[in-house]
């Protein structure tokens, strides 16, 4: 076996030469020591920079419908019988959704993600989202739009695609062998089916997971390999936010170094796939978020669906401080003008909960109280 200072770079060399990591090696990434961590990150970053150069894709979430979900996903603040103190509202209208989307686009986002809680949309609701997509595309033709509406019925993916949607997100969330431990109202196979429908309709498939829900290292690897086998184009890596009022309240098993290892493992498994630092990065990566961008090449800007992220300006400053550039929606090489925006907290209007970044020491999840579904400006 190579020394710890070379073994990870030898693995990167093999992958860069067209080889692949195996499951045993992927588990070894997660088991690597703290003394090896910088070598693991450095090796994984070679893959990231080979395929994505120094660009960071900025995504922005718009929660079209919050709460009111009949599913019982144990991690989710919007689940059936959740007592989490989140925003709950029914569908935004088209103007409200476009206004929310424009806040993220103005800050440098090249993809807008339209999300609605629930098992899956009716055909009428798909029509409503299609109208929103068309309005966003009319206002900003170059922006990508990803829809995330739950399980799809026959023909719905095609409808979204014809309206201008570029991608569909449906996370697998955890390994098949662990799925019954986090949800009882639908199955892993149900989720696989929706990912397949989206891909089959010509939409880019976006599917990822939530780490920190009691899964083993082997199950994290199982899931990463499954995502690779499905040919998904982007993998959002979320870290559990243990909302009060959900079954996983108080579960807090991750540390920043393990989060870096998880990102690195996914990069070794899927070297040319977009990997996104998603919900929970502020809490769990903390001061190592910037380092995570040397492995991941994408992030969500500002707030999430029901929780607050760090101020959008700080996200953009973090990218600039790392010597990275925001990917422009037109694909140009130069950085977006927003990449060095001062680290302010735009949109944190009166009554919004104060946010500090990073928030690794914060024990309670900061509930989103601004942006979509409120009268307060968005955090973007």
């Amino acid at each position: 076996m190579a020394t710890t200072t070379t073994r990870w770079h030898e693995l990167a060399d093999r992958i860069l030469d067209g080889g692949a990591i195996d499951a045993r090696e992927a588990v070894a990434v997660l088991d690597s020591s703290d003394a090896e961590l910088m070598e693991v990150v450095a090796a994984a970053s070679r893959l990231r920079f080979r395929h994505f150069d120094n660009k960071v894709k900025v995504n922005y979430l718009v929660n079209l419908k919050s709460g009111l979900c009949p599913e019982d996903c144990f991690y989710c603040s919007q689940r059936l019988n959740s007592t989490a103190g989140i925003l709950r509202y029914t569908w935004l209208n088209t103007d409200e959704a476009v206004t929310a989307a424009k806040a993220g686009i103005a800050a440098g986002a090249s993809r807008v993600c339209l999300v609605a809680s629930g098992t899956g949309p009716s055909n009428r609701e798909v029509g409503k989202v299609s109208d929103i997509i068309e309005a966003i595309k009319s206002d900003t033709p170059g922006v990508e739009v990803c829809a995330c509406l739950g399980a799809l019925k026959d023909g719905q993916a095609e409808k979204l695609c014809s309206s201008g949607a570029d991608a569909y997100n449906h996370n697998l969330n955890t390994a098949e062998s662990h799925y019954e431990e986090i949800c009882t109202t639908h199955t892993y196979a149900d989720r696989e089916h929706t990912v397949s429908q989206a891909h089959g309709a010509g939409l880019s498939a976006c599917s990822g997971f939530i780490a920190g829900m009691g899964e083993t290292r082997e199950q994290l690897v199982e899931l990463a390999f499954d995502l690779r086998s499905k040919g998904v184009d982007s993998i959002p890596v979320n870290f559990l936010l243990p909302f009060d009022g959900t079954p996983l309240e108080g579960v807090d098993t991750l540390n920043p170094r393990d989060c870096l290892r998880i990102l690195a493992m996914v990069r070794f498994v899927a070297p040319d796939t977009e990997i996104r630092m998603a919900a929970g990065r502020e809490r769990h990566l903390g001061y190592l978020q910037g380092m995570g961008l040397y492995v991941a090449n994408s992030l969500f800007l500002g707030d999430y669906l029901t929780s607050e992220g760090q101020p959008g300006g700080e996200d953009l400053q973090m990218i600039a401080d790392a010597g990275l550039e925001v990917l422009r929606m037109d694909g140009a090489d130069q950085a977006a003008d927003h990449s060095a925006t001062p680290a302010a907290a735009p949109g944190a209007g009166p009554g919004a909960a104060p946010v500090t970044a990073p928030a690794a020491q914060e024990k309670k999840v900061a509930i989103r109280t601004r942006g979509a579904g409120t009268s307060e400006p968005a955090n973007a």
Side-chain angles (χ1 to χ4, degrees), residues 164-201:
D166 299 280
Y168 195 82
N169 167 263
H170 199 62
N171 291 331
L172 296 182
N173 286 326
T174 196
E176 184 173 16
S177 61
H178 189 242
Y179 204 82
E180 291 182 357
E181 302 301 317
I182 66 149
C183 183
T184 69
T185 50
H186 61 264
T187 67
Y188 187 85
D190 293 331
R191 288 191 168 268
E192 288 181 301
H193 179 63
T194 293
V195 174
S196 177
Q197 281 181 304
H199 233 170

Side-chain angles (χ1 to χ4, degrees), residues 303 308 311 344-355 368-371 374-380:
D303 294 336
E308 291 186 346
V355 181
R368 181 174 70 84
T369 59
R370 59 196 176 198
T374 78
S375 61
E376 299 298 331
N379 173 30

